[in-house]
Amino acid sequence: MPLPCPETPALVHTSFYKFTPLPQPQVAAAMLRELVAEQAAGGLAGSILVAAEGINGMLAGSPAAVERFEQALQREPAFTAMAFKHSACVTRPFGKVRVQVKKEIVPLGIEGVDAARATGIQVSPVDWGNLIKQPDVVLLDNRNSFEYRLGHFEGAIDPQVTNFRDFPDFVRTHAAAWKAGGQRVAMYCTGGIRCEKTTAWMLDLGLVAYQLEGGILNYFQQVKDPGLAWKGECFVFDNRVALNASLQETATTLEDVYQGEHDGPWRLQRALRLAAAVAG
């Protein structure tokens, strides 16, 4: 049962994804639009992406509406055993709801990656702290540099990318040295989806790759004292902007997020336009 947020009317944020073959993504999208529409009275809003490789969504609404949506979604054969991550909403995360069909639910920029078939080794949040302390483990932050700057796991490497599609170049540059040194690669991202797709590709490079199960948000949700290994805040892709290790919204603004980034002015203006569009 999702926990309500501090304000009234209560809202809860849910994020979810699953790599699963969807031969007819348009049909799946139509079904999802119906499920969301059924919870309109509960204020359900957000974004769901559907592709032949699966589903990726973020929604917010009343606790009852979120729970009914999640239960209905899991009754669909393709989406059983779906994992959901919940967090608080002082600010309303979304103003509208959109269900879109895309080529990919997360664009790595490499053709033929099948994350539904095989991915890296999933590591539970409770085991994560021990793994990343091992001397033969290279810890990578699989997010954009502005996300790393706001917060990251202690000892993590910032690949200094400005777009997820740039991450494979960093891996290619260092893969031979990692293998020669007998090093394992551990990586994390916000909710797990970027890592899941990246590790699926890294298997073809012969790398031993681990990923934090459910990403940073699941780590915050599952670990008793997440601040011991995590430093700072976690950027989220909605109007709340950033969460602390207790999954509470912080005072960080979009201006804070993009300040100092070489493409910061462009990113800030784009983010403000999207926020205004959502609110409208």
Side-chain angles (χ1 to χ4, degrees):
M1 174 70 177
L3 295 176
C5 301
E7 289 199 342
T8 301
L11 292 176
V12 66
H13 181 286
T14 180
S15 60
F16 52 93
Y17 75 90
K18 187 173 184 180
F19 286 101
T20 182
L22 297 177
Q24 297 179 295
Q26 293 285 359
V27 174
M31 177 274 295
L32 287 160
R33 292 186 186 104
E34 290 182 7
L35 293 186
V36 172
E38 289 172 0
Q39 305 307 324
L44 205 62
S47 173
I48 303 176
L49 302 182
V50 185
E53 67 178 357
I55 180 176
N56 180 20
M58 298 185 295
L59 296 171
S62 71
V66 168
E67 185 171 24
R68 286 192 295 265
F69 171 83
E70 291 176 349
Q71 290 177 347
L73 182 59
Q74 291 181 97
R75 285 195 290 269
E76 296 294 326
F79 304 125
T80 56
M82 179 82 75
F84 299 94
K85 294 172 285 291
H86 301 132
S87 52
C89 315
V90 174
T91 299
R92 182 177 291 275
F94 313 103
K96 297 179 180 179
V97 62
R98 300 181 70 184
V99 179
Q100 299 174 281
V101 176
K102 297 284 188 177
K103 182 180 179 181
E104 300 173 85
I105 55 174
V106 56
L108 182 61
I110 298 173
E111 294 291 333
V113 177
D114 185 0
R117 176 181 56 84
T119 63
I121 302 165
Q122 295 269 4
V123 181
S124 72
V126 294
D127 293 331
W128 180 252
N130 181 59
L131 172 70
I132 63 178
K133 292 176 184 176
Q134 302 305 307
D136 66 331
V137 169
V138 176
L139 179 59
L140 300 182
D141 190 310
N142 192 357
R143 301 177 301 156
N144 298 324
S145 280
F146 69 84
E147 297 175 81
Y148 177 93
R149 183 169 56 84
L150 278 184
H152 54 268
F153 282 101
E154 190 169 16
I157 295 171
D158 176 13
Q160 299 185 344
V161 302
T162 57
N163 190 291
F164 179 51
R165 295 181 183 87
D166 301 328
F167 190 80
D169 288 337
F170 178 86
V171 173
R172 291 188 187 100
T173 299
H174 296 88
W178 292 335
K179 287 192 287 186
Q183 291 176 295
R184 299 174 290 166
V185 179
M187 65 178 65
Y188 64 90
C189 53
T190 308
I193 189 170
R194 284 179 276 188
C195 291
E196 195 149 337
K197 190 153 189 181
T198 305
T199 59
W201 165 69
M202 289 170 68
L203 293 177
D204 295 333
L205 300 182
L207 290 167
V208 179
Y210 299 80
Q211 64 188 80
L212 174 58
E213 183 180 38
I216 300 163
L217 297 181
N218 192 41
Y219 182 83
F220 288 172
Q221 189 169 289
Q222 300 294 332
V223 175
K224 183 178 180 180
D225 199 351
L228 292 178
W230 176 267
K231 307 303 177 186
E233 305 169 8
C234 179
F235 179 80
V236 289
F237 294 87
D238 59 60
N239 289 337
R240 297 171 300 168
V241 182
L243 304 179
N244 62 23
S246 298
L247 289 171
Q248 299 297 318
E249 183 180 341
T250 71
T252 296
T253 65
L254 287 170
E255 287 79 4
D256 296 329
V257 171
Y258 298 118
Q259 184 178 13
E261 296 293 317
H262 77 276
D263 59 351
W266 173 82
R267 284 186 176 274
L268 175 60
Q269 292 305 313
R270 178 177 179 272
L272 291 173
R273 286 197 302 273
L274 289 174
V278 167

